[in-house]
Amino acid sequence: MYGNIYRTIKINRIKFILVFIVLFILLVSGIILSVGMGTMKIGADDIVHVIANRLFGANIFVADNITAIVWNIRLPRIICACFVGMGLAVSGVIFQGILQNPLADPYTLGISTGASFGASLALIMNILMGIYFPATAAALIGSCLTLFIVILIAEKGNSLESSNLIIAGIIISSILSSGVSFIKMLAGESVGAIVFWIMGSLSAKGWKDVMLVSPTVIICTVISVVLANQLDIMALGDNNASALGINTHKLRFTYLVIGSVITAVCVSACGVIGFVGLIVPHLLRIWITAKNQILIPLSALLGALLLLTADSITRIISAGEIPVGVLTTIIGGPFFIFVFTRKGGSHNV
């Protein structure tokens, strides 16, 4: 019996390592390929030379225009896409775990709606009153306030149970959605700026955006992996988890804050990019495992690769800027229907 269990664990570990290495290689290759794509084609050797010059102080000759395009325009956008995709995928795993709902995603609790309301409010203040307030900062504040209100409402329902959290999220999201619609009406002909932000875009992202998103995503992902075994036990139900020594209220609150902070930062930087947090965890649960200690790091890599691919496609198919959130929704919508209607499937554990 113990021999079979040991072999199963060993096989899962080998499978995880192999998939991790493959995804990592695909991601690195995708970054280099994506940086080279665009109106001006840039070779992989020039890209590597630019990075070596900037990061390691190498003195390899590269034309100034190529250096500017790679380092100042394309690379920060691409790195930002990777970290946002990583963050949304990890928060998707978290919310599906703590809410015990396979259709939950980073936006279930209304965090994205709070960010949209905050950004829309900042934009309308600039349009109507000439008061400039950064949309990114306003979106982050809106997300955090939304999280606080959702937790407060759920606690008034006597606990942070998934049902209370979902109901509170729906209530607040509906109210804020109406607020966003009202702001759009006030914006008049300038409504395009608000709509473009809400649709989600990686256009004109710089190193400041990377520095906003990357530390939060990395730190929260590491904490999530450390606590992943306890999240697995939570799947047994609160009573069973408590009997095994898990403080379910504290763990759920911790993961709720982690997932919401990741979502808030990603949305504040790039707007609402849907379905990444829904698609990625499900694919890996079906293909690999439902064990969160494996699922979280693999979701981070696949989420980064998915959003990087989607952003590269939007840059290629049109000379204008197509919000990447539109493409992820077009892809994710049919997948959502598939997940919702799927019967009799089983996930590997």
Side-chain angles (χ1 to χ4, degrees):
M1 174 182 175
Y2 291 108
N4 290 334
I5 294 174
Y6 176 77
R7 281 193 295 272
T8 301
I9 294 173
K10 187 176 180 180
I11 290 170
N12 285 341
R13 186 175 298 169
I14 294 172
K15 191 176 182 181
F16 161 68
I17 293 173
L18 289 175
V19 174
F20 187 92
I21 292 173
V22 169
L23 287 176
F24 183 78
I25 292 173
L26 287 174
L27 181 59
V28 173
S29 302
I31 290 172
I32 294 174
L33 182 64
S34 183
V35 172
M37 293 188 307
T39 305
M40 181 179 181
K41 307 296 181 183
I42 300 175
D45 54 342
D46 284 333
I47 296 170
V48 173
H49 291 162
V50 170
I51 295 174
N53 289 342
R54 290 286 183 168
L55 295 183
F56 307 111
N59 194 23
I60 305 170
F61 175 76
V62 183
D64 290 342
N65 62 332
I66 293 178
T67 299
I69 291 172
V70 170
W71 189 257
N72 298 328
I73 300 175
R74 294 183 185 175
L75 194 58
R77 171 180 178 150
I78 288 165
I79 298 299
C80 189
C82 291
F83 276 109
V84 170
M86 183 185 299
L88 293 177
V90 170
S91 58
V93 176
I94 290 172
F95 282 115
Q96 289 172 15
I98 63 172
L99 298 178
Q100 294 297 300
N101 187 336
L103 298 180
D105 72 356
Y107 307 132
T108 300
L109 300 184
I111 305 299
S112 65
T113 313
S116 299
F117 180 79
S120 299
L121 196 59
L123 292 171
I124 197 67
M125 286 170 59
N126 187 23
I127 293 170
L128 296 184
M129 293 178 281
I131 301 174
Y132 176 73
F133 192 83
T136 299
L140 187 58
I141 293 170
S143 297
C144 294
L145 287 177
T146 301
L147 171 63
F148 174 77
I149 295 171
V150 167
I151 291 176
L152 189 64
I153 294 174
E155 287 283 14
K156 291 296 183 181
N158 299 323
S159 71
L160 286 178
E161 292 182 358
S162 59
S163 57
N164 289 344
L165 288 168
I166 292 173
I167 290 171
I170 292 173
I171 294 170
I172 298 303
S173 182
S174 299
I175 295 171
L176 293 177
S177 292
S178 298
V180 172
S181 298
F182 180 70
I183 291 174
K184 286 181 185 177
M185 183 192 71
L186 293 178
E189 295 180 358
S190 302
V191 71
I194 296 174
V195 172
F196 188 82
W197 191 94
I198 291 174
M199 286 193 295
S201 174
L202 290 158
S203 174
K205 298 304 167 187
W207 289 112
K208 288 183 179 179
D209 300 289
V210 174
M211 295 308 297
L212 169 68
V213 176
S214 57
T216 303
V217 171
I218 292 171
I219 293 171
C220 290
T221 299
V222 171
I223 296 173
S224 301
V225 173
V226 171
L227 299 175
N229 287 332
Q230 296 182 44
L231 188 60
D232 288 335
I233 297 174
M234 285 280 289
L236 301 174
D238 284 6
N239 292 334
N240 291 328
S242 298
L244 292 171
I246 301 298
N247 186 332
T248 56
H249 184 277
K250 181 179 179 181
L251 184 65
R252 185 175 283 115
F253 179 81
T254 301
Y255 264 118
L256 178 64
V257 171
I258 290 172
S260 298
V261 167
I262 295 175
T263 304
V265 169
C266 291
V267 173
S268 66
C270 302
V272 181
I273 299 175
F275 290 103
V276 174
L278 173 65
I279 295 173
V280 171
H282 270 290
L283 287 178
L284 291 173
R285 282 195 184 96
I286 294 170
W287 293 343
I288 311 297
T289 183
K291 183 174 176 58
N292 286 297
Q293 202 165 44
I294 295 175
L295 186 61
I296 291 173
L298 291 185
S299 293
L301 287 178
L302 186 57
L305 184 60
L306 177 62
L307 192 57
L308 172 64
T309 303
D311 184 53
S312 298
I313 292 173
T314 60
R315 289 197 294 125
I316 292 171
I317 63 177
S318 174
E321 183 65 36
I322 299 176
V324 68
V326 173
L327 183 62
T328 56
T329 302
I330 291 173
I331 296 172
F335 185 84
F336 184 90
I337 296 172
F338 163 73
V339 171
F340 189 76
T341 58
R342 186 171 179 264
K343 302 294 182 181
S346 62
H347 294 157
N348 298 321
V349 180

